[in-house]
Amino acid sequence: MDLCHGRMTVFHPRVEAFMVSYCPRSQFLEFNLYPRLSWLDSFQHRGSKLRLELNSVITSRMLQQPHALVIANEYPQNADFPRNYSRKEKKPFPVPIVELRRAARERLKNRKGRPKGQAPPPKNGVVVKSLIPLAYDVFNARIIMINNLKKLLKVVPVHACGWCNEIHVGPVGHPFKSCKGKYATLRKGLHEWTNATIEDVFVPIEAYHLFDRLGKRIPHEERFSIPRIPAVVELCIQAGVNISEYPTKRRRKPIIRISKSEFVDADESDLPDPVPEVPGKPLLTEIPNSEIKAPSNGEEIKFLAEETVRAWEKMRKGAKRLMKMYPVRVCGYCPEVHVGPSGHKAQNCGAHKHQQRNGQHGWQAAVLDDLITPRYVWHVPDVNGSPLQRELRNFYGQAPAIVEICIQAGANVPEEYKSTMRLDIGIPSSVREAEMVV
């Protein structure tokens, strides 16, 4: 900190060290987060200058002592778009293999010489009782979000390409040449827009329903006899949600482990007969498409949009907490998801070079986006203004389709998605003005 020359260095956890301009006669600190950028580039980061008022009195003794000012920012100002992996690429591991092996060696070293203790739930077959209310909240949040999306699709125009899986939220489809579907070369990459459905906006990720999540792995021969349900619903069922249509085994005593892959159930004959538990929160149901009615006025549209955003965030945050206790697997080559300790043995992987693996999946730990896939779409800055222009593509941001629908319906922009929407970047009014940007 050098106050004699009117400058102070500030260290930020996400940004490199930046300078702070200080004037002894003034009661304000001005921060320049990007000192190495020219004055033209600073227009792109104009939201990075902070101005803080100093309410405290600075004495001469305090000026002689070094001070460090740390400003924490949970979300970056501008973030890159999520990467789209090609069909020939394998998904990266959430934790590198080197870190997994190092952690395994540490666990083996710490466990050496100690008696084997009882595994905590849910590894011992018993559900985690503290997470049962959260499982019900995630299940109901998903139903609320789906029902509200069906109503919002009646008033918010959403387009889907007839040849690829890209969608767009807005009055007209975007003009970008990004189609990779069939006959894309004949159409020069242009999309052919049609009306989108709820399945286009909220991607249906299904998984096998397990009667016993600690039982044997599903063989290839039984792949058609076991029902498939939404993966989020299967996660909620394993976490404690009781649905009569999909029964599951509930143990009241921990299992007795014989070996790593063998165990026996404990004797529960001394326990009283199980009483059907009444759920603390009633389970909601989806509204059929024939009974969906469009909202009547603007206030109802805005209320549905805000409720949908809250349900979306509640479902994702709750599912992320459940995934920390109940493991979820995903194939590294295709979108197949399995909720359970280990993946199934069904040989139905059709990704790149699946013949070399005999159709078997390459299971690895799943992340939240594998379970609940956010379909990112281009953000329309002004719905009532001019449509998106092909030459100004680098100035537009992106947001999940569900969030973009709610924003165009009147909801506030969530703080989490402001970094990818690029709200602080000025969009040129013409192509000529864009060419002048350095």
Side-chain angles (χ1 to χ4, degrees):
M1 178 177 179
D2 186 10
L3 293 178
C4 297
H5 296 81
R7 292 180 298 178
M8 178 176 61
T9 304
V10 180
F11 297 93
H12 191 275
R14 292 181 178 267
V15 187
E16 62 179 358
F18 56 91
M19 303 300 298
V20 178
S21 302
Y22 172 75
C23 180
R25 299 179 181 179
S26 176
Q27 295 183 351
F28 295 93
L29 290 178
E30 293 186 356
F31 299 83
N32 186 10
L33 301 182
Y34 303 91
R36 299 181 181 179
L37 296 183
S38 62
W39 68 274
L40 290 175
D41 296 335
S42 62
F43 285 108
Q44 187 175 0
H45 305 279
R46 64 183 184 277
S48 302
K49 180 172 286 188
L50 305 178
R51 187 175 176 89
L52 300 180
E53 182 177 357
L54 300 180
N55 296 324
S56 60
V57 179
I58 303 178
T59 61
S60 59
R61 180 177 299 180
M62 295 175 60
L63 294 177
Q64 297 176 1
Q65 299 177 357
H67 295 274
L69 180 61
V70 178
I71 300 178
N73 185 15
E74 186 177 358
Y75 303 105
Q77 179 186 2
N78 290 318
D80 296 334
F81 300 148
R83 179 184 174 185
N84 295 326
Y85 295 94
S86 65
R87 297 180 180 180
K88 299 182 180 180
E89 290 183 278
K90 186 182 181 298
K91 301 174 186 176
F93 289 95
V95 182
I97 294 293
V98 178
E99 298 294 336
L100 292 177
R101 292 175 178 175
R102 183 181 294 111
R105 288 194 298 266
E106 290 293 333
R107 289 195 303 267
L108 185 61
K109 181 179 179 181
N110 297 333
R111 194 186 308 168
K112 189 175 182 180
R114 295 183 180 181
K116 293 184 179 181
Q118 183 68 32
K123 294 182 180 180
N124 59 1
V126 183
V127 297
V128 183
K129 294 185 179 180
S130 60
L131 294 180
I132 294 179
L134 179 62
Y136 278 91
D137 292 340
V138 173
F139 183 89
N140 289 334
R142 175 182 174 273
I143 299 299
I144 293 175
M145 185 197 65
I146 292 178
N147 292 338
N148 290 352
L149 276 179
K150 292 181 180 179
K151 299 177 182 178
L152 291 176
L153 289 178
K154 298 286 186 179
V155 294
V156 179
V158 182
H159 305 275
C161 180
W163 298 98
C164 66
N165 58 355
E166 191 164 344
I167 61 176
H168 180 73
V169 182
V172 294
H174 66 73
F176 307 136
K177 298 180 178 181
S178 57
C179 183
K180 298 181 181 179
K182 193 176 181 180
Y183 306 124
T185 55
L186 299 179
R187 291 178 282 106
K188 297 182 180 180
L190 292 175
H191 297 275
E192 291 187 1
W193 300 110
T194 59
N195 294 329
T197 59
I198 184 66
E199 288 79 12
D200 298 324
V201 178
F202 183 56
V203 183
I205 303 295
E206 294 185 346
Y208 285 108
H209 170 60
L210 302 180
F211 175 75
D212 185 7
R213 57 186 177 87
L214 296 183
K216 296 183 178 180
R217 300 172 64 182
I218 300 175
H220 177 71
E221 294 74 16
E222 299 180 4
R223 63 189 185 279
F224 296 121
S225 60
I226 298 178
R228 291 178 64 88
I229 60 177
V232 180
V233 177
E234 176 63 19
L235 179 63
C236 296
I237 292 175
Q238 293 189 15
V241 175
N242 294 322
I243 302 178
S244 58
E245 303 169 357
Y246 306 105
T248 184
K249 188 174 183 178
R250 303 293 187 192
R251 294 180 176 87
R252 295 183 291 171
K253 281 188 176 182
I255 60 174
I256 301 174
R257 181 71 65 175
I258 300 176
S259 62
K260 185 177 180 181
S261 59
E262 295 182 3
F263 67 90
V264 294
D265 293 333
D267 186 14
E268 300 180 357
S269 60
D270 57 332
L271 299 178
D273 296 337
V275 179
E277 298 181 0
V278 179
K281 299 181 180 180
L283 295 178
L284 304 180
T285 57
E286 295 186 18
I287 302 177
N289 296 333
S290 58
E291 300 178 6
I292 296 296
K293 296 182 179 179
S296 57
N297 50 37
E299 295 182 358
E300 186 178 357
I301 296 175
K302 185 176 180 180
F303 173 77
L304 289 176
E306 293 178 351
E307 188 181 27
T308 305
V309 171
R310 290 194 299 267
W312 167 258
E313 295 181 349
K314 187 175 183 180
M315 179 184 63
R316 284 181 60 88
K317 292 180 180 179
K320 188 175 182 179
R321 287 185 56 189
L322 294 178
M323 291 176 64
K324 294 181 180 179
M325 298 299 297
Y326 296 89
V328 180
R329 305 295 179 184
V330 65
C331 179
Y333 304 95
C334 71
E336 180 71 13
V337 172
H338 181 79
V339 183
S342 57
H344 58 76
K345 294 183 179 180
Q347 302 173 2
N348 53 3
C349 182
H352 180 63
K353 293 185 178 181
H354 63 90
Q355 299 89 348
Q356 299 180 1
R357 294 175 278 108
N358 197 19
Q360 295 181 356
H361 296 281
W363 297 112
Q364 63 186 44
V367 295
L368 181 61
D369 290 347
D370 297 326
L371 184 69
I372 305 174
T373 305
R375 295 286 301 274
Y376 275 83
V377 297
W378 292 100
H379 171 61
V380 180
D382 187 7
V383 181
N384 300 323
S386 59
L388 303 182
Q389 300 183 36
R390 186 181 306 164
E391 294 79 6
L392 305 179
R393 177 174 178 173
N394 295 333
F395 297 91
Y396 299 127
Q398 290 185 359
I402 297 176
V403 177
E404 180 66 18
I405 291 174
C406 297
I407 292 174
Q408 294 190 15
N412 297 325
V413 181
E415 193 72 24
E416 181 180 357
Y417 304 104
K418 287 184 178 180
S419 57
T420 58
M421 295 175 66
R422 299 179 178 177
L423 300 178
D424 59 337
I425 295 180
I427 301 177
S429 59
S430 62
V431 181
R432 181 177 178 81
E433 183 179 352
E435 294 176 352
M436 300 173 62
V437 178
V438 180

